Amino acid sequence: MRLLAVVVLYHPGKDLAGNIDSYLSQVDKLLLWDNTPGDGQERLPLSDISHPERLEYRGCGRNVGIGAALNDAVAYAREYGYTHLLTLDQDSFFLQGDFRRYITAIQEYGENKRIIFSVNYFIKSRQSSLYPVTDTVDEVFSAMTSGTVYPVGLFEELGVFMEELFVWGIDCEYCWRAARRGVRTVCFKSILLQHDLGYQKKKHRLLGKEVFPNEYPPARTYYNVRNGMVLHKLYPESLNLKAHLRYHLYKRIIFVLLYEKRKIAKWKALWDGYRDGKRGRLGERG
């Protein structure tokens, strides 16, 4: 296995070096695609990183979206003969030894199979795992971007990531496209990636129930609504539109009113996302 990893950066925090160090020694190359506007390479907190020779900084000085950044890594993997691509978020990390176990598990399961490989997730804000931790490798509906390993040959067969979505839904769209072609997504339930979902900050009580709003910024709010509507049209068997809108639109309207800042900007993003989702508009928000 020749493993290329890519992390898409956007205003990364001080924990970036520690996160990267949790897996850098086990990859052959790590691309850092920076979507932060401006030339931010000098500002990256990476002075104490191990194996700096394995890093390559990439970007174009503006936010091109997650899909375009991942597709740059796909092209790089093809050009330089890597066999697998690992995609990661900037705030995700493995506890000591877990990433080595993950790679070993993939190799033992069959690294050359037509399979998308993924991990279980320990959701830091909830202090619990996404799936029950078991010693099984199970087929799952889809995988998140962070921690997923793709055999590079799949991109020749299935095509590249759908960068027109810009951010939200790129990971699950690829898994759903793969499933239609008989390519499974499997999860190693015993291997945990330390990860967080969205922008959950504080729990609240609403009508006697505990709620944990995802306080997405306006730009992300827009794509969450719009892309879910677009993906339902493409994969009606995979995305329940009523459930999606209930969580990302209807509940969010109430949560923004009660708990969140930047109310006008977020409400406008919700409306624009719904309008453009109905129209089937793709690409970066205008």
Side-chain angles (χ1 to χ4, degrees):
M1 176 189 290
R2 291 196 69 221
L3 181 60
L4 174 70
V6 58
V7 179
V8 181
L9 305 178
Y10 189 75
H11 296 288
K14 295 180 180 179
D15 57 352
L16 179 62
N19 295 342
I20 287 174
D21 265 339
S22 73
Y23 48 79
L24 184 57
S25 65
Q26 299 298 308
V27 304
D28 295 291
K29 190 80 171 181
L30 173 61
L31 304 181
L32 298 174
W33 179 281
D34 197 351
N35 267 338
T36 308
D39 184 9
Q41 183 174 5
E42 292 78 13
R43 299 192 301 271
L44 290 180
L46 298 175
S47 58
D48 298 325
I49 198 76
S50 65
H51 302 289
E53 74 282 356
R54 299 187 185 185
L55 299 178
E56 182 169 327
Y57 182 86
R58 298 171 74 82
C60 59
R62 64 183 182 87
N63 185 0
V64 298
I66 293 174
L70 297 182
N71 283 340
D72 175 80
V74 171
Y76 190 102
R78 286 170 163 171
E79 180 177 356
Y80 293 101
Y82 292 93
T83 62
H84 292 76
L85 175 66
L86 166 68
T87 57
L88 289 150
D89 290 352
Q90 64 186 15
D91 55 357
S92 299
F93 64 94
F94 290 91
L95 296 181
Q96 187 172 5
D98 283 350
F99 185 64
R100 183 186 296 272
R101 289 199 305 118
Y102 183 31
I103 298 305
T104 299
I106 291 174
Q107 292 170 331
E108 292 177 349
Y109 192 83
E111 63 187 81
N112 295 320
K113 292 182 178 179
R114 294 171 66 250
I115 286 176
I116 297 171
F117 303 98
S118 68
V119 291
N120 201 347
Y121 301 91
F122 184 80
I123 309 303
K124 293 178 285 183
S125 59
R126 300 178 184 175
Q127 287 296 293
S128 62
S129 61
L130 182 65
Y131 303 113
V133 177
T134 62
D135 289 325
T136 59
V137 183
D138 299 327
E139 185 171 357
V140 291
F141 197 53
S142 62
M144 300 183 205
T145 299
S146 201
T148 298
V149 173
Y150 304 84
V152 172
L154 284 182
F155 298 108
E156 188 69 33
E157 177 184 352
L158 304 176
V160 296
F161 294 102
M162 188 176 174
E163 59 186 69
E164 299 92 340
L165 293 171
F166 203 74
V167 286
W168 190 91
I170 292 166
D171 42 14
C172 54
E173 187 280 329
Y174 201 84
C175 293
W176 297 341
R177 192 193 326 164
R180 284 184 173 179
R181 299 284 295 275
V183 176
R184 297 184 299 136
T185 300
V186 301
C187 174
F188 295 87
K189 296 286 184 67
S190 66
I191 298 171
L192 294 173
L193 176 66
Q194 310 298 306
H195 185 68
D196 256 339
L197 294 175
Y199 294 78
Q200 292 175 311
K201 297 179 180 179
K202 185 178 179 180
K203 295 179 180 179
H204 304 273
R205 300 292 297 183
L206 179 62
L207 301 177
K209 295 183 179 180
E210 184 177 77
V211 296
F212 201 1
N214 244 319
E215 300 183 33
Y216 292 105
R220 181 65 184 270
T221 295
Y222 166 83
Y223 293 112
N224 291 355
V225 176
R226 185 199 74 177
N227 290 0
M229 298 176 70
V230 170
L231 289 175
H232 171 72
K233 296 175 184 177
L234 295 175
Y235 302 94
E237 75 280 9
S238 299
L239 192 148
N240 183 312
L241 184 60
K242 289 183 178 179
H244 178 83
L245 291 178
R246 183 167 58 249
Y247 181 80
H248 284 287
L249 180 62
Y250 308 137
K251 284 187 177 181
R252 191 74 197 288
I253 291 172
I254 303 301
F255 290 158
V256 170
L257 172 66
L258 295 177
Y259 309 121
E260 301 184 33
K261 298 178 181 179
R262 305 181 67 188
K263 299 182 190 299
I264 300 302
K266 290 179 179 179
W267 278 332
K268 185 177 188 306
L270 289 167
W271 164 249
D272 288 350
Y274 181 79
R275 177 200 62 203
D276 288 348
K278 293 279 285 187
R279 296 173 176 173
R281 184 181 184 277
L282 290 170
E284 186 175 5
R285 183 186 184 187

